Amino acid sequence: MTALKLEKVCKSFGDVEVLKNIDLVVEDGEFVVFVGPSGCGKSTLLRVIAGLEDATSGTVDIGGEVVNDTPPAKRGIAMVFQSYALYPHLSVRDNMSLGLKQEKQPKAVIEERVDKAVKMLDLGDYVDRRPSDLSGGQRQRVAIGRAIVREPKLFLFDEPLSNLDAALRMNTRIEIADLHRKLSASMIYVTHDQTEAMTLADKIVVLRDGNVEQVGSPMELYNNPANQFVAGFLGSPSMNFLSKSEIPIPDGATLGIRPEHLSLTDDGRIKGQVTHVERLGGDTNLLVMSEAGETLTVRQFGQHDANVGEPVGLDFQDQNAFLFDQNQQRIAE
Ligand SMILES: Nc1ncnc2c1ncn2[C@@H]1O[C@H](COP(=O)(O)OP(=O)(O)OP(=O)(O)O)[C@@H](O)[C@H]1O
Ligand SMILES: [Mg+2]
């Protein structure tokens, strides 16, 4: 069975079209990530699925049932927001129980489900605390716990990690992946962070300006981007795009090469000069200004003793290069 099916979903605010004809299927148990730049419509799409916004047209089907006219509480979904949205005057346990109390679930059921979620999220030491006495990461776990106890068919996450610092973000990301494995529930996760998208998703949906640019597994999109936008959005550092290089490029076309596919070699086809060196310890990123006047990022494994101002030659294997036409669409080789 499919967990979610969107058909030709459009959403306008006044005469501003924010979502344009979105078609999408989420399979049972799948982890789907919506990724795209700020303002592209990710949260709006999630809110339409949740029922917090009405679709202007099109159908939203959850678990085989069209839910366009079903209120959010009856859609079998639970949503986790960036801002946690916890009740400050309630303890962790009461925050997690509240939704079930409102559903008038029996006390024993509430207790059992909350205990299970507390254990799963390792919140045992904090059940009696108020949210203000928790760290950001712990608060986010409570917010996730509140979703888990509802046992939804579909989890919706809207940038749940963006308030956390880098180390905690990585830990919580791993916890969410682990949670997905344990619950084997369907999840939709919104982020503008390509690393989160690449590391969490079974399936990534790349959005831009209210359109779906491409859908596929992380490696499908990385290895086979349909257009220059997807190619540039996924991968860090980003793909290099060249249009006036020493390499012969068809008129109007753009050549794309990922930083890890460029090698330093004295007789390389691209000549240039090092303009900046980023030493990350495990990796070194060199910025190189080519003789044609384009900046390229070169990713070298390990530590590298390049210096700013040094002349270098760069090259790549032709099978690792991508070509895009003047409309930024991929030209198949
Ligand atoms: N209630 C509203 N009224 C009018 N315009 C809105 C409303 N809600 C969202 N928008 C507009 O819709 C577009 C998409 O917004 P949305 O919040 O879905 O973007 P997003 O992809 O989630 O961005 P971010 O990464 O910044 O959270 C934006 O241009 C936004 O200004
Ligand atoms: Mg948003």
Side-chain angles (χ1 to χ4, degrees), residues 239-242 275 286-290 292-297:
M239 188 183 282
N240 295 293
F241 294 117
L242 305 178
T275 58
L286 310 182
L287 296 196
V288 173
M289 173 73 85
S290 73
E294 292 177 307
T295 299
L296 292 93
T297 309

Side-chain angles (χ1 to χ4, degrees), residues 32-304:
V32 174
V33 176
F34 295 169
V35 71
S38 189
C40 69
K42 305 179 294 293
S43 295
T44 306
L45 185 54
L46 207 65
R47 292 170 61 80
V48 165
I49 295 167
L52 301 171
E53 302 280 358
D54 287 328
T56 309
S57 61
T59 56
V60 179
D61 176 319
I62 296 179
E65 203 181 313
V66 174
V67 294
N68 285 55
D69 299 321
T70 309
K74 298 246 154 71
R75 289 191 181 195
I77 50 113
M79 191 151 165
V80 179
F81 298 91
Q82 172 184 347
S83 61
Y84 323 133
L86 299 176
Y87 292 98
H89 58 287
L90 295 182
S91 68
V92 165
R93 177 175 288 282
D94 288 342
N95 262 289
M96 285 169 70
S97 319
L98 190 68
L100 297 177
K101 280 184 191 150
Q102 284 164 347
E103 281 177 14
K104 306 220 173 350
Q105 295 281 358
K107 218 167 162 192
V109 171
I110 298 177
E111 226 158 79
E112 188 201 319
R113 289 200 200 169
V114 171
D115 283 344
K116 201 165 133 201
V118 161
K119 210 156 157 205
M120 194 180 280
L121 295 165
D122 207 10
L123 284 167
D125 292 341
Y126 313 108
V127 282
D128 297 319
R129 289 203 202 168
R130 301 263 171 96
S132 58
D133 303 331
L134 298 175
S135 73
Q138 291 159 348
R139 282 180 215 176
Q140 195 50 275
R141 296 218 296 271
V142 178
I144 293 169
R146 200 173 41 179
I148 292 176
V149 298
R150 312 246 336 264
E151 300 188 347
K153 286 183 278 189
L154 181 60
F155 284 86
L156 306 176
F157 294 93
D158 195 351
E159 308 230 19
L161 309 187
S162 47
N163 286 344
L164 309 181
D165 68 37
L168 201 51
R169 247 201 323 264
M170 177 158 174
N171 285 341
T172 317
R173 196 167 78 212
I174 294 168
E175 281 167 14
I176 289 178
D178 193 39
L179 189 71
H180 176 243
R181 276 188 293 267
K182 280 187 198 145
L183 295 172
S184 53
S186 318
M187 296 185 170
I188 301 179
Y189 185 102
V190 162
T191 180
H192 59 262
D193 179 345
Q194 65 90 30
T195 309
E196 279 178 29
M198 296 294 281
T199 52
L200 284 170
D202 294 318
K203 184 155 95 188
I204 296 180
V205 179
V206 182
L207 292 165
R208 174 164 71 154
D209 293 338
N211 291 300
V212 174
E213 291 284 311
Q214 196 174 355
V215 178
S217 74
M219 289 310 123
E220 271 163 17
L221 300 197
Y222 194 79
N223 295 330
N224 215 352
N227 56 50
Q228 204 174 326
F229 178 79
V230 174
F233 197 82
L234 299 179
S236 175
S238 290
M239 188 183 282
N240 295 293
F241 294 117
L242 305 178
S243 52
K244 47 181 197 250
S245 140
E246 298 82 341
I247 316 280
I249 300 174
D251 231 13
T254 298
L255 184 75
I257 313 164
R258 295 207 181 271
E260 68 268 31
H261 289 145
L262 281 170
S263 55
L264 291 166
T265 152
D266 287 341
D267 54 1
R269 285 174 287 174
I270 303 172
K271 310 273 182 233
Q273 215 177 37
V274 177
T275 58
H276 186 69
V277 183
E278 283 185 333
R279 298 181 204 282
L280 301 170
D283 278 330
T284 308
N285 294 327
L286 310 182
L287 296 196
V288 173
M289 173 73 85
S290 73
E291 283 177 358
E294 292 177 307
T295 299
L296 292 93
T297 309
V298 183
R299 181 170 181 184
Q300 294 285 293
F301 184 68
Q303 302 181 5
H304 206 274

Side-chain angles (χ1 to χ4, degrees), residues 8-57:
K8 295 195 165 44
V9 167
C10 297
K11 175 69 186 174
S12 300
F13 293 107
D15 51 12
V16 183
E17 261 189 294
V18 172
L19 298 175
K20 301 161 191 167
N21 263 322
I22 308 277
D23 286 322
L24 181 71
V25 171
V26 176
E27 303 294 351
D28 244 355
E30 210 172 19
F31 199 128
V32 174
V33 176
F34 295 169
V35 71
S38 189
C40 69
K42 305 179 294 293
S43 295
T44 306
L45 185 54
L46 207 65
R47 292 170 61 80
V48 165
I49 295 167
L52 301 171
E53 302 280 358
D54 287 328
T56 309
S57 61

